[in-house]
Amino acid sequence: MKALVCVKRVIDYNVKIRVKSDKSGVETDNVKMSMNPFDEIAVEEAIRLKEKNQIQEVVILSIGTDKSQETIRSGLAMGGDRGILVKTEKDQLEPLTVGKIIKSVSDKEKPDLIILGKQAIDDDCNQTGQIVATLLEFPQATFASELKKNNDNTLEVTREVDGGLETVKINIPCVVTTDLRLNEPRYASLPNIMKAKQKKIDVLEIGSFDIDIKDRLQILEVNEPPERKPGIKVDDVDSLVEKLKNEAKVL
Amino acid sequence: MKKEELTELTNKLHPSEYSTESDVLKKHCIDWRGEFIGKSKLITFPRSVKKISEILNFCQKKSIGVVPQGGNTGLVGGSVPTKKGNEIIINLSNLNKIRNIDLIGNSVTVEAGCILDVIKTKLEKYDLEFPLSMGSRGNCQIGGNIATNAGGLNVIKYGTIRQNILGIEAVLPDGRIYNSLKNVKKNNTGFDLKHLLIGSEGTLGVITAATIQLFPLPKEKVVLWTSFKDFSQVLGFYKNINNRFKDLITSFEFMNKESIEVLEKHECKFINLKKNQCYCLVEFSNFQKINDFNDFIFSKMDFKNLDTDDLILSKSESENKRLWNYRESIPLAEKKENFIIPHDISIPLSNISEFVKKTTTSIKEFSIGAKIINFGHLGDNNLHFNVLIKKQKKLSRKSICRSVNKIVFDNVKIYGGAISAEHGIGQLRKLELKRNKKVLELNKMRDIKKIFDPQNILNPGKIF
Ligand SMILES: Cc1cc2nc3c(=O)[nH]c(=O)nc-3n(C[C@H](O)[C@H](O)[C@H](O)COP(=O)(O)OP(=O)(O)OC[C@H]3O[C@@H](n4cnc5c(N)ncnc54)[C@H](O)[C@@H]3O)c2cc1C
């Protein structure tokens, strides 16, 4: 069995985002970049399946500029076997474009499991996994918090849904998108970083795919969230009630 | 303090600038560890330097003791009144404005009551690093940091706060305002009095503002975590890493097995990491905007001579946070133990291995089952050597403390260290200071105290 794990290079989750002065987007210069945390969970899950001998090969795919090789490399240091970079000029492509590229790679690679984050923390689209499943006509299990492979070529996936958990059984090949509670990704140890250096990353130019990568959406303006006003202290309960009634108008 | 005096003093203040309520007082009379519980009839929260000046002027005339208090995170009982109950508290939290940020000279002038973390976060917006960080940063104040000459997690890169202070404003015990808030690095105009106020633990003046040197904010940080079977390997590792990466290292922290045990018992589980005898956390900062910083560090490693059991390199800021959380939660975990005797010492690195071995053996002979929790800013020779007493003999807590302290501090002396590396003297280390400081030095310190504070009203019962 083979797993294709899709990973995206994004602004590090813990970095404070700054909007560019012309409001055309967010500042990415001189900012720490890391693997999208949900994708990291996907890498970890694939490697765990490999360690259980349920998967033979873990292929890490990223679509982006040359710098996305760093992101692939960090997946290889966790234990992925080889990488594929689909090289583009810009970092941000729309989910449909990304979905088509993944489909095209998948047609060649023929993975049994495509596993990726439920969303990327930069544009928060939550679409790619679903689009890939649709284009490939694969069954899908989104928002996975637990995953088990059965002997009859099916996966049992627990999904985090509103108000509870749902367990589904799907046939392989399939698409799984990961949620936060699925696992705690491992660290990259130095010996493994060293091994990762020897692993192969195939670089494919986006031009070699017959896919229109033009954006369909236009971003008009990006704004910072309004700054929260500092709290105030009131002297007693009466003045609190008074303020809630007359100023905040919530009572 | 007489009733009339209290009324006279509070009449000078706005109602929001003081409290005599027992709930409020109680909270401010107990130190972070809960070891020192003092008494007081009045706490003030002045809103201006002028008010502080008036309070001190009044207190000096009436010979009333005054305790300056910042975030009250001090670990030696310096920030709370004594049990005598005749001191008032000046709490600085209302004096919390940023007066100026100099974006050309990279410096900031802040009032003493500013909370460290608030200032750090504000300055990040300007791509500037405030050169101090420590576990208490969410509560401690710049004034308290200066009064204790705080060290913390980045001393290996930026030094203690003393190295970065350009000027200070303080109110002296008679109410006069000393001001050296000059935004210049060089100033050889006679004795530099601000250096006496730095580390004076509230005994010479109430610090009200300071100008502090800032540094460029690194683009990113990467944490290296590693573990060892034996402490002696740690020093070899330190030398190796320090030689290779000197300018990029912003922290070098050490933890022993017992630190992680107490952490796991009270605070959090240790996940995806190998258990071992000792651990190191090294933080590298990317000041030069190096591309692919992880790879840069990796390529510079001297693998041949690295004698460790395992090594990991963080791949995101979330991992940095998780790894730092292990180190920073150790003091919180310790606090939940019933009987810990803390020591914040520094020992020359060349002697540290021998010191730990000898002292640990002696303590375990004295108190069977005792555990030694060792952690700290090893890169600055600083070791927290905290003794967890398991079974109490028939001896009282006090006498156990005395014996354990004697073992530790006798060895500190033998191995050429200092009895307090960064926490200071306060009430906790008065006796040891007398024992360990040379008479000449102690006498000169007393002389200086007399010149600043002839009536001994500022933080009485502390240091001396
Ligand atoms: C979890 C934890 C981790 C810590 N880690 C470190 C560490 O890594 N490195 C380190 O050095 N310390 C550390 N500390 C100790 C403590 O946080 C520092 O000593 C800190 O600098 C004290 O600041 P504060 O505002 O809380 O001062 P306080 O505790 O309020 O006061 C400390 C002393 O300074 C005096 N003082 C306070 N403000 C003023 C002022 N404006 N003018 C004159 N005197 C004043 C007080 O009288 C007292 O003597 C730690 C403490 C905790 C609880």
Side-chain angles (χ1 to χ4, degrees), chain B residues 31-33 52 66-80 90-92 95 112-114 116 132-137 139-155 160 169-170 197 200-209 253 327-328 330-332 335 344 377 382 384 421-424 426 458-459 462-463:
Chain B
D31 76 325
W32 188 81
R33 279 208 171 109
I52 296 178
V66 174
V67 181
Q69 184 176 71
N72 198 13
T73 67
L75 300 173
V76 291
S79 52
V80 292
I90 295 185
N91 182 293
L92 275 295
L95 208 67
C114 290
L116 176 58
L132 174 70
S133 182
M134 51 197 197
S136 52
R137 62 185 166 273
N139 296 302
C140 68
Q141 301 175 0
I142 307 297
N145 298 151
I146 296 171
T148 56
N149 185 23
L153 305 167
N154 301 140
V155 173
T160 61
E169 176 192 85
L197 286 159
S200 64
E201 298 185 47
T203 62
L204 300 183
V206 176
I207 296 162
T208 50
E253 297 289 315
R327 163 64 186 84
E328 294 201 294
I330 296 168
L332 310 179
K335 205 181 164 189
D344 161 44
H377 323 301
N382 189 177
H384 298 312
E422 55 179 16
H423 297 162
L458 259 186
N459 227 358
K462 316 291 163 62
I463 302 186

Side-chain angles (χ1 to χ4, degrees), chain B residues 38-54:
Chain B
K39 272 195 262 167
S40 178
K41 293 198 185 84
L42 173 68
I43 180 164
T44 65
F45 303 95
R47 293 190 171 276
S48 67
V49 179
K50 196 163 151 265
K51 280 284 167 71
I52 296 178
S53 161
E54 281 174 35

Side-chain angles (χ1 to χ4, degrees), chain A residues 63-108:
Chain A
I63 301 159
T65 61
D66 227 359
K67 290 198 170 140
S68 294
Q69 288 212 36
E70 281 170 35
T71 314
I72 297 175
R73 203 61 82 188
S74 110
L76 297 178
M78 288 170 72
D81 295 298
R82 65 186 167 88
I84 300 172
L85 170 69
V86 177
K87 204 168 123 191
T88 59
E89 296 279 304
K90 49 180 196 170
D91 263 324
Q92 294 286 346
L93 295 175
E94 288 176 0
L96 180 60
T97 314
V98 173
K100 286 178 183 169
I101 298 171
I102 295 174
K103 175 186 185 302
S104 171
V105 172
S106 169
D107 285 342
K108 244 182 279 159

